[in-house]
Amino acid sequence: HCPPTPSATKLLLERIAFIRQTHYGGFYDFTSDLSSKDTAYTNLALQAHTDTTYFTEPAGLQMFHLLSHNDGSGGESLLVDGFKAAQILKDEDPAAHHLLSNATVPAHASGNEGIRIHPAFEYPVLNHHPKTGEVLQVRWNNEDRAALNIAVQHLDAWYDAARKWVEILRRPSLEYWEPLRPGKPALEAARETSSGPAKSSPKSPGKPKPIPRIRKIPSSKPKLLPNQQASRRDITVE
């Protein structure tokens, strides 16, 4: 049990790991007021995803603590085992697994004044140990995905693979729903678990890893040349 206050939650976090500084700040609490142009600052339900795909080194551990919920509805949080989903994809569609393990996906954070961030490199959805081949990290956030830098002839195959991946993530057998409650923080391994919180107050500690390199890119948007094609489609599952 943790008292449902920012100060008590911060003390709990500091007993687990250092609190990582990002463009959001370090420790922070908020509500659905769109003070930051981010879906986390709304009361919209979110599909399963991993956070901070736009960092070279995404968040390692994340804590979510609902500080208050006064006669409202909703508030359930969704957890999905990303490693299990990756294994299912490999078993059912090896070609899709191979594509999502090799084709790199641009990611970015933008929308707020002066903030346009992307990782130093593009990474695939599924990242593997270079020697053992085991999945070490899942990077999947359809809201943070930028235009794909994939040859036109391979675009349909990538979207087919992504659609299969989303279908697996949405299987009820892989979904774990838990309503957040004041006094009961939830800690997740952000690289392994895809989450889809409803309305909550996240607190983000870091994992004892180096702080990622963050590169700002100019706020002006470059124009595409006539022979260039950017691809950014939403992934939908019937």
Side-chain angles (χ1 to χ4, degrees), residues 100-101 103-105 123-127 137-140 158 165:
L100 295 185
S101 298
T104 59
V105 180
Y123 295 87
V125 174
L126 305 176
N127 294 269
Q137 182 187 69
V138 176
R139 302 174 73 115
W140 175 256
W158 188 91
W165 171 247

Side-chain angles (χ1 to χ4, degrees), residues 17-29:
F18 65 87
I19 298 176
R20 179 168 161 181
Q21 296 291 326
T22 72
H23 63 294
Y24 294 109
F27 173 89
Y28 56 99
D29 65 280

